[in-house]
Amino acid sequence: MNKVTKAVALVSFLGAATLANAGTVGPTNFNVTVNLTSSCSLSSAPTDVAFTYTSFQAAAAVATPSSFKVKCTNLRPYTMALDALSGTVIGLNYTVALSAAGGTGTGIDQTYAITGNMAAGQSGTCAAASCSGTDVRTLTITY
Amino acid sequence: MATAASPFAAAPVNHSFRVTVTLNSSQDVPPVATCSNMLDPTTNKVVVICAGGQSGSTPTPQAAPPRYLLHVYRPGEWLVDDQMGNGTLTSWRIVHVANREYLEMMVGW
C-alpha cells in the first residue's frame, strides 16, 4: 500500500469511532465567582495649605487651599477627617476644614480641598521682618 | 454626598500635609526719608539730601518715591508741604519732640 492509501484508511477509522459515540450533553451551568476587595487610595496627596499673613492685618487671611484626589471602588462609601481642625504656627491661630466629610467611590479620581482660615488682628511671633512656620496635619480616609 | 463608611471598614488611608505660614511682621510702609544736611558757613546755604527707605538703602523701583514733611512756619500760619522745593534757608535747627525729630527751617521767599 502506498502512502496515500494509508492516510485515507486512518481517517476512515477515526470517523467510524466518532459516529459510534455521537450524542448531546445538555448545557451545563458553571459559576464565575469574583471576590472584590474594595479599596480607597489617595491618587494625589494633599498639597500644602499656605497662609501669608501680616501682623494685625484687618481682614482674615484665607489660605491657598490644599487639594487632593481620592480614588475608591465604585459605590464604596468613605469618610474623610482631619486630625485637628485648628492649630497655631508662629503664634498665629488657624483653622482648616475639608470641602466634604466623605463620599461614595466612583472608580475614578474625586477631587477635594482643604481650606484654611486665619482670623484678623493677630500679632504672631516673629523677631525679624518676616518669618515662616510649618505645622503638619493628617488627613484620614476611612472606608 | 457624605455617606457612612461600611462597618467592615478596611484599614484607613492616612496622609500628612503641611500648613505653612509666612508672617510679615509689619505692613509695607512707605520709605522713610533719611536726611542729612550740611550748612555751608560761607553762603549760609543748607543742603538737605534725603534718601528713601532704610538708612543706607535706596528705594526699590516699585516703591513710592521718598516723601517727608517739610514743616514751614511763617508768622501767623503753618505751611506744610510734602515735597522738597528749592528755597533759601535763613536758619534751621533740629527739634526733638515726642520721639520725633523735626527739622525746623526758616525759609525766605
Side-chain angles (χ1 to χ4, degrees):
Chain A
M1 191 179 293
N2 58 34
K3 290 182 179 178
V4 174
T5 306
K6 285 181 181 176
V8 171
L10 179 59
V11 170
S12 299
F13 174 75
L14 291 174
T18 303
L19 291 174
N21 294 311
T24 302
V25 177
T28 300
N29 295 331
F30 64 97
N31 296 327
V32 176
T33 61
V34 176
N35 290 318
L36 171 62
T37 301
S38 59
S39 173
C40 281
S41 63
L42 278 166
S43 48
S44 178
T47 55
D48 292 351
V49 177
F51 289 97
T52 300
Y53 197 89
T54 299
S55 293
F56 312 115
Q57 70 179 52
V62 178
T64 301
S66 165
S67 65
F68 61 93
K69 294 179 180 177
V70 177
K71 185 161 65 178
C72 282
T73 305
N74 193 26
L75 298 182
R76 175 68 169 180
Y78 59 92
T79 59
M80 300 184 293
L82 301 175
D83 63 329
L85 297 179
S86 63
T88 303
V89 179
I90 52 176
L92 295 170
N93 299 321
Y94 69 87
T95 59
V96 287
L98 279 162
S99 59
T104 301
T106 59
I108 60 174
D109 287 347
Q110 295 171 284
T111 301
Y112 296 100
I114 303 170
T115 57
N117 193 280
M118 197 172 271
Q122 298 187 70
S123 166
T125 302
C126 182
S130 180
C131 295
S132 297
T134 300
D135 214 359
V136 178
R137 301 256 67 95
T138 301
L139 165 69
T140 300
I141 299 172
T142 305
Y143 58 98
Chain B
M1 177 183 67
T3 312
S6 164
F8 308 104
V13 177
N14 294 314
H15 204 288
S16 60
F17 63 97
R18 300 189 312 167
V19 177
T20 65
V21 178
T22 300
L23 170 63
N24 299 312
S25 57
S26 63
Q27 297 275 3
D28 288 338
V29 295
V32 177
T34 301
C35 299
S36 62
N37 49 65
M38 180 179 62
L39 174 64
D40 185 342
T42 59
T43 62
N44 271 345
K45 179 180 287 187
V46 176
V47 177
V48 179
I49 300 174
C50 293
Q54 296 178 349
S55 177
S57 68
T58 55
T60 54
Q62 61 270 41
R67 292 165 62 89
Y68 57 93
L69 294 178
L70 180 62
H71 294 255
V72 180
Y73 176 75
R74 191 166 58 182
E77 60 179 328
W78 278 97
L79 304 176
V80 179
D81 196 359
D82 63 356
Q83 294 288 335
M84 174 58 104
N86 294 323
T88 301
L89 298 179
T90 56
S91 66
W92 65 278
R93 63 175 179 163
I94 301 292
V95 180
H96 185 84
V97 178
N99 292 327
R100 293 193 177 206
E101 286 186 333
Y102 295 87
L103 173 62
E104 181 184 275
M105 294 180 290
M106 299 300 291
V107 182
W109 66 89

